[in-house]
Amino acid sequence: MSAPERQGIATRGFATHNKDAKFGPFEFVRREVGPHDVLIDIAYCGICHSDIHQARAEWEPMMPSMYPMVPGHEIVGRVSQVGGEVTKFKEGDFAGIGCFIDSCRECPPCKAGIEQYCIKGSAQTYNSTEMDRETPTYGGYSKHYVIDEKYALKVNATGDLSGIAPLLCAGITTYSPLKKWGAGPGKKVAIAGLGGLGHMGVKIAAAMGAEVTVLSTSPSKEKDAQALGAHKFLVTKDAEAVKAATGSFDLILDTISAQHDYNFYLSLLGLEGVMVVVGVPTEPIPLNAFSLIGGNKALAGSLIGGIPETQEMLDFCAKHSITSDVEVIDPSRIEEAYDRTVKSDVRYRFVIDMQNA
Ligand SMILES: [Zn+2]
Ligand SMILES: [Zn+2]
């Protein structure tokens, strides 16, 4: 028996139907706006590397891909309808949606506002289900989203919204560990890798007042790094420069998703230094215990941020005029954008314009 046709708000997105398929228009239905819900007319949605991994089923079996899939969790738009009990938004406000749209609301992490670590598992914005564990979630490559106001973010925009979209994933992914591990005045912070995550890391760490160094294999990125606000640039293939920088950093934010040697990067940390991993290489990476023991160092990880901290990050970025450097595309160019993102051929994030889609 097929499921009954769902009542709700008809919308249109761009979906892929299997790991090898191309994206195409997809008509579907969002739920009716409930008392605590807001309807967001999506203006822009960023293309995160994790969209590509999931659309192409590259994270299976750890994270199965569900089709049809409408990816997208870097969403900004305008509130066009609010439920009767909504207090945080009014019609016409700018709003954002990040990587999750609901969680159990009862476990200790949910109560602490770190819902991304919900013990029961939060409801992801796409390639997931709502908390009923049945209703599939479709992401931001679409015209509309209906979300409980508690899980939507307030966006304080004065100008172009397109550069704000990537803050909802790339921004919070870098802001949260930089803040937690004390990036600020007097701290030497290194950002490893200068892609979608790395370029946000540079801007945010610099705005926090840290001395920022970009660690990169490509000397050609030095000019860009400086333009983004980095104070120094270290080519990791330059043996002399590496020797001079060994033991010099307080914090390394590792955004690299290609295979790389953690032990090498840990050697650049000074006493009690911390390296935080936010990039996700596909294969495990060997770790020499001495890389940590020698200087009382720590290797940590971090996953996006909770709703309160994501709001704090958006407010911080608005205050410091930080947006992502983006290339805006039409939905017909999703495939091309995916291929170019995989080749790191984008400065620094593709954002899909959904307004005329
Ligand atoms: Zn993402
Ligand atoms: Zn929970």
Side-chain angles (χ1 to χ4, degrees):
M1 204 176 88
S2 64
E5 197 64 6
R6 196 177 173 207
Q7 296 297 306
I9 297 163
T11 188
R12 174 183 160 87
F14 290 83
T16 179
H17 290 263
N18 64 62
K19 72 183 177 65
D20 302 311
K22 296 214 178 304
F23 278 86
F26 175 61
E27 311 289 331
F28 66 106
V29 171
R30 296 286 188 193
R31 69 169 182 254
E32 295 284 7
V33 176
H36 299 281
D37 288 339
V38 294
L39 171 65
I40 297 172
D41 290 356
I42 297 172
Y44 296 99
C45 184
I47 293 180
C48 175
H49 212 129
S50 64
D51 299 352
I52 303 172
H53 287 304
Q54 292 174 82
R56 296 180 174 174
E58 289 167 354
W59 280 348
E60 293 192 330
M62 283 274 285
M63 189 183 287
S65 289
M66 296 154 57
Y67 301 98
M69 187 190 301
V70 178
H73 59 205
E74 294 184 336
I75 301 168
V76 286
R78 209 182 259 275
V79 173
S80 60
Q81 197 183 326
V82 297
E85 308 281 317
V86 168
T87 56
K88 195 160 121 184
F89 297 94
K90 57 183 190 318
E91 263 180 54
D93 284 352
F94 293 119
I97 301 173
C99 300
F100 57 92
I101 47 107
D102 203 353
S103 65
C104 86
R105 309 175 187 217
E106 287 164 356
C107 71
C110 282
K111 288 202 161 140
I114 45 174
E115 305 89 344
Q116 75 275 31
Y117 302 119
C118 174
I119 285 166
K120 293 181 184 165
S122 56
Q124 305 302 294
T125 304
Y126 70 87
N127 191 32
S128 177
T129 57
E130 292 181 13
M131 291 309 284
D132 65 5
R133 307 299 187 199
E134 266 178 34
T135 313
T137 54
Y138 298 119
Y141 300 4
S142 61
K143 300 281 292 172
H144 307 93
Y145 213 111
V146 176
I147 183 172
D148 187 310
E149 64 164 340
K150 193 172 166 12
Y151 292 83
L153 286 308
K154 289 182 78 73
V155 170
N156 182 359
T158 45
D160 183 24
L161 279 178
S162 60
I164 293 174
L167 301 182
L168 277 303
C169 176
I172 186 61
T173 296
T174 51
Y175 178 90
S176 183
L178 286 168
K179 186 180 174 207
K180 178 182 168 90
W181 297 104
K187 293 291 168 118
K188 292 185 173 169
V189 174
I191 309 293
L194 194 62
L197 287 176
H199 97 289
M200 289 312 312
V202 170
K203 290 187 182 201
I204 291 170
M208 286 174 169
E211 182 189 287
V212 182
T213 302
V214 168
L215 311 180
S216 175
T217 51
S218 10
S220 62
K221 288 191 172 172
E222 181 163 7
K223 262 213 169 93
D224 273 23
Q226 280 171 353
L228 293 166
H231 306 96
K232 294 180 176 173
F233 189 83
L234 176 63
V235 181
T236 50
K237 288 172 181 162
D238 179 342
E240 281 294 300
V242 165
K243 204 173 157 197
T246 296
S248 69
F249 297 108
D250 298 300
L251 174 62
I252 296 175
L253 183 66
D254 178 4
T255 73
I256 303 171
S257 57
Q259 294 306 121
H260 59 296
D261 181 7
Y262 286 162
N263 304 289
F264 164 74
Y265 290 89
L266 288 165
S267 75
L268 300 176
L269 286 175
L271 188 63
E272 297 185 336
V274 179
M275 179 159 100
V276 191
V277 174
V278 292
V280 186
T282 40
E283 298 297 320
I285 294 174
L287 179 69
N288 185 332
F290 281 119
S291 299
L292 297 173
I293 291 171
N296 197 11
K297 297 172 187 176
L299 179 62
S302 184
L303 176 68
I304 49 173
I307 295 297
E309 194 176 41
T310 304
Q311 189 62 62
E312 178 187 304
M313 176 277 306
L314 286 170
D315 297 345
F316 176 90
C317 288
K319 185 176 160 205
H320 293 273
S321 302
I322 294 173
T323 55
S324 174
D325 291 11
V326 299
E327 183 174 334
V328 177
I329 59 158
D330 182 88
S332 63
R333 292 176 59 202
I334 293 171
E335 322 286 339
E336 178 198 334
Y338 273 25
D339 292 339
R340 284 183 50 200
T341 299
V342 169
K343 289 187 284 186
S344 301
D345 177 22
V346 54
R347 287 192 164 98
Y348 279 91
R349 207 62 152 180
F350 283 107
V351 167
I352 308 170
D353 184 348
M354 293 305 310
Q355 293 162 111
N356 303 311

